[in-house]
Structures are given as structure tokens and as C-alpha cells.
Amino acid sequence: MRAGALGFNLSRRRAEMPLYRPVLAFLHPLVKNLTVFGVSLSQIPISKSLSIVHLRGTVAVAFKDLLDPPFDIGWWAFFTAAEVLLKFDLELANVTLQARQVFVSLVCGHRWRRNSHAKRGQRLRQLPLGSLLLIRHGGCLTSYIALRAKPVLKCHAMSSAADAARDHRAVLLRKIPPVSELLGLPALAELAARVGHDLVVDAARTVLERIRDDISRGLASGPPEPQAIAAEIVSKVAGLLKPSLRGVINATGVILHTNLGRAPLAEAAIEHIRETAGQYTNLEYDIAAGIRGRRDVHTGSLLAQLIGAEAACVVNNNAAAVFLALASLARGGEVIVSRGELIEIGESFRIPDIMAESGAVLHEVGTTNRTSIADYEHAINERTRLLLRVHRSNFAILGFTARPALAELVELSQRTRMPLYEDLGSGCLADLGPQGFDEPVVRASVKAGVDLVSFSGDKLMGGPQAGILAGRREPIARLRKHPLFRALRVDKLVIAALAATLLAYLRNDFDSLPALRMIRASAAEIGGRAEKVAQELKPVLASAQAEIETANGQSVIGGGSTPAEYLPTRLLHISSAKYSATQLEERLRIGANTAGAERTPVLARVSEDRLVLDLRTVFPSQEAALISALTTALN
């Protein structure tokens, strides 16, 4: 291949180099199915980012998207032999480049008119050492070889402008002080003596790595002064020594927000944790008898009384409860369940998967949208161990649907003496009918004759994370004897919070439970609070070039419960001429106050380029902090 100087064609807006010979010399195979395509170019002036152009009798090179080296070559296969596209991504604009080698793969094929699909399936051809491959121009009628460029490019002899930039960055990188020098500064020496040498060294390395990265990417004109670096290291160590779990202001209107910890605990639950966490307790000790006791006695009697069960036990979450129930009652046998109830919840927890891990065998009946009691009855055989009913708590099936009533399943269970287990999931203990929700109540299932129920403690019940199992004594006793029961048991903090939550239900003190209080709040009540916040913000709206209004909206319970059902609410809509809604949301979420100190993050929504806040999920005690955060974000 012999080429003339590659230059920039102003009229055609592209870089060009004439091709004088149709023969390309392929030097040698670099690796399997890879050949080195030698290219020798004179220096290429780059005046701007160019659009993609093709080679038809000329070599055309397109420069696009300025990136750091190594330079990439996008790859394409073309249907004419003399059409090759090399796409270069360069680090700098207005520099020159001298390319020496381009690595390409070879794909052999026939003329496009004869077979348009054969070429796609052919394997890459490996050339023997020193071989020559004839490439004919597009006008020929014989076979041809198309080149497919792979993303590898070696560049040598960068121009003086690129070299100067590279050398300048190398000088800046050499100016970064080493860790040993920084540790000699008084601030860091004192910090290392106080918190430990290793922690400070790790923080220093992290900070210096960030500085190097900024310089390499051209984001910094040089390293900060050593004192400034030391201050950043001190701040980094301070962040490492603080818990990452922190409180937030939830203004999304999602009450049981899984990512935000689901149900907030009642004050009584927090106080009970405080009373028991810092001292010894009678967790597994019977004070009256002076002997060892059982830890679930503190919640079992409360649960039995509250939902009418003979016995109850607690594990660490409802997924564990389902696993324990299946492993204890159905291992090695079949569990009959409707195909329309094979649910999946967060983190890819699927009923079929958990059943397989438990050792039980899934026996599906019915269809996705319709299952009858006859389907269950016909499926019962000598290997059946359990009838399973799963509450579809996080999705709804509408239209032409049917499922057996709970009373029908109870009758079948009692007639065939086959235990019936119902996974209620969301765990509703109080009737939410007045709020417009058709959610099954746990007590109703136990009263109907279900042998075993399970549900979550931190969803509609409004307590701590826990998996609660309740029902007849015999299945509960089998659960307690299973080896997994000890592995899945809860600690004294969960028991303290759960007991306090259950006592609130026994007192009918629903408003003391934050989740229930938020669900029961009316739209008028939320609207009154929203108007108050809007009035507080009015003095700053003019200077902030912002507008605020209240509007009707919807809250959701969330947390995998009450699908397709909503609570009417009043929303705050905020728009700004200075910031987009997305920018406002970010400023509320990660911004700092005017003094630069940390503040509680505020989580809101964005809709139709407006910031949307729902005060249903904002505690009244948080309103002052919310107003302060909004004032700072808007300005």
C-alpha cells in the first residue's frame, strides 16, 4: 500500500488520502484470527470533530468524540472491497496525529448480490506469516474481502501539541506530594495518633487517587496545596468514622418505602429498645420459675391474643418464615399452589425458587388468571404435604379472573386432612376498609380455619422487620423444632420493638404507629400542612425566581402491598427559573446548607418538570428542616 499525505478537504468536510495501489500487504497474524494492517500516514491536521465518511478510492478517516487514549476504532463490515471506515477517538482537538498500525480482523465473503447472508456466518480467516492478500476495488465483479476493524489502535509520534499536553500533565502528577510527606503535617500527625495510622493512610491514598484522576482527565489545573489536601483527608476520615445509615426526610408520598426502611417505628417501640438494649434482660429466662425460658414468649402470647391463634413464633423476615414453613412441613413432598400466585418480590425472591431450596416440590394448578377449587382437589395425591395460598400483595390480575374463596380451601383442607398455609405477606392487622383498601386481615384468616399464616412485621403492621408465623399449635411446634429456627431467630432489639408495636394494637392506639397514622390521614389534613409550608416559603420565592402551588395528587402505601390502590392527597408543586426540577431534586437530596454543614437529605419526586413533595410521609417535626432545605435549594 502506498499513500499520499492525508489532508483535510474543506469543500467535502473530511480528511482524505489517495490510494494508488489495490494491493495491501498484511504483515503477520498478531493473534488467532487477527492480522496487522500496516498504515503509514503523514501528520494529520485536525481542525474540528468530523462526521463519519467512507473510503471509495480514497482513505477517509473520521474523528469523533474526544476521549482519552487508548484510541478506539469502531468496527463495521462493508459490502465493497475498497470501502473501509476507521473511526478515531482522540484526546485533544486541534492537534496532529501520526498513526502507524491498525489491528483489523479479516472476514471473507462473496459478492453481496449473490449471497447477502453467507458472509455474516463465515469465520474469520487467519493468514499465514508473510502472505499477501489481494483486495480488489468495488467495481470488480469477482470475489472480494471485506475488512472489519476491531477496537485496537497503536499510535506513535504524537504531534508536538499532544506531546506538550501529555508532558504538562506528567509534570502536574509529579507535583502531588507523597503520603509520607502528608503524614508529617501536624494536622494529619495528630489525627493518626488519635484514630490510627492505617485509617489515615487509607484515606490519604483515596484522596490522592482522586487528585491524580482529575489531573489525568484534565479536570484540574494542578494538585492542591498540601494543607488543602490534608484538610480533605481529615474530612475523609471524619466521614469514615460516622455511620453511613442516616435519617432522611421522605417527601415522596410512598409510606412503606422499601429503600427507606419501610415502616418507621412508634415512639413506644423506640423507648422499649432504649430500655432493654443497654442492660441485661430476661430474653430467655423465666424469672418466676428461675429456669431457662424461650425468647418468643415475649411476643407469642401477644400475637396469639391479637389475631386469635393458638400459638405463634417470630423469625427475621417473611421470606425466612416462608422458607421455614415449607422446609418444616413439606420437605420431600408436594406443595399445591395456584399458578397465578407464584409471586416474585424484591431482590428476586420467588416462591418457586424458595420452595426448591426448602426441599419441597412445587405442584402448580390452574392458570395465570383462573384457578378453581377443583384444580386443588384433583392435584392432591399421596405425595401432597401442604396446600399453599399466597396473597398477591404486590400485583393485581384484572379482567377474566377467578380464584377459590378462602372458605373453599379451608373446607378442602379439613375434608382431606391436608394442612392449609397462607402467606399473607403485607401483614394487615387493622381493617383498612375505611381508607378504601381491600386488604385481607390476618385475624380473619386464622378465624376462617387456616392452619398456618405468615406475614411481615415492617409493612402494614408498622413494626420492625420480622417474619411472623401463627396458627395451630401442632405446625408451630414443628417449626420450633426445625434446625433452621435457631438460625433465623430474631434478637432482643426486634423483640422489644415488636412487643411494643403489638401492645399498641391491643390498646387500639393506631395513631401511635406512624405508618397507620399516615395511611389514616385525610387529604384535607395533608392539604392544610402543605398550605402552611407554601406560606412559609413565599418570602423567598421572588428572589429565587420560583413558583409554588398546591394540587391534588395520590399517595401510595408501597412496600409490596395494596397494588393499584392509592390515597388521595394534596401535593406541593415547585418550579424554578434558575434550576430544572431534576436539579432541584438533586440539591435537596445531596446539597449542604449555607454554612456548609451536613443536613438531613430530602427525597422528593419530579413530574412534568416540577418538583413534587407529598407531606403525607413527612413528620410534622421535620417541616422546619424541610422549609430550610427548600429555601437553600431554591437560592
Side-chain angles (χ1 to χ4, degrees), residues 271-305:
E271 183 59 31
H272 199 195
I273 291 174
R274 188 179 295 112
E275 291 172 353
T276 55
Q279 59 182 321
Y280 297 110
T281 65
N282 63 331
L283 178 64
E284 290 185 357
Y285 187 76
D286 187 335
I287 295 176
I291 59 175
R292 181 171 181 169
R294 287 203 309 257
R295 67 177 57 200
D296 56 359
V297 69
H298 306 289
T299 54
S301 58
L302 296 175
L303 284 164
Q305 186 174 359

Side-chain angles (χ1 to χ4, degrees), residues 460-609:
L460 292 175
M461 197 184 84
Q465 176 181 299
I468 300 169
L469 294 130
R472 294 193 300 107
R473 284 191 183 87
E474 191 273 333
I476 295 296
R478 291 175 62 183
L479 299 182
R480 283 201 180 101
K481 292 178 181 178
H482 196 280
L484 278 175
F485 182 66
R486 182 177 179 86
L488 301 175
R489 69 183 185 181
V490 295
D491 72 341
K492 63 180 181 180
L493 304 184
V494 173
I495 290 175
L498 182 57
T501 303
L502 296 173
L503 287 170
Y505 276 97
L506 289 174
R507 295 192 300 265
N508 288 326
D509 188 10
F510 301 133
D511 284 341
S512 69
L513 302 170
L516 285 187
R517 184 170 65 246
M518 293 174 184
I519 293 173
R520 290 154 62 92
S522 67
E525 179 183 344
I526 305 300
R529 294 174 57 200
E531 291 289 350
K532 178 182 175 182
V533 171
Q535 289 296 325
E536 293 281 348
L537 288 172
K538 277 192 176 179
V540 303
L541 294 178
S543 60
Q545 303 177 42
E547 295 180 355
I548 186 169
E549 63 178 6
T550 59
N552 291 327
Q554 294 176 327
S555 307
V556 296
I557 293 181
S561 60
T562 63
E565 294 182 301
Y566 305 93
L567 289 164
T569 191
R570 294 285 290 174
L571 303 173
L572 279 173
H573 286 174
I574 300 176
S575 57
S576 168
K578 296 171 63 176
Y579 304 106
S580 68
T582 302
Q583 289 173 325
L584 281 177
E585 184 275 334
E586 182 179 359
R587 288 170 66 82
L588 280 174
R589 177 167 38 86
I590 63 176
N593 61 26
T594 54
E598 275 193 0
R599 61 163 177 78
T600 304
V602 178
L603 306 183
R605 291 186 282 139
V606 172
S607 176
E608 299 179 354
D609 201 29

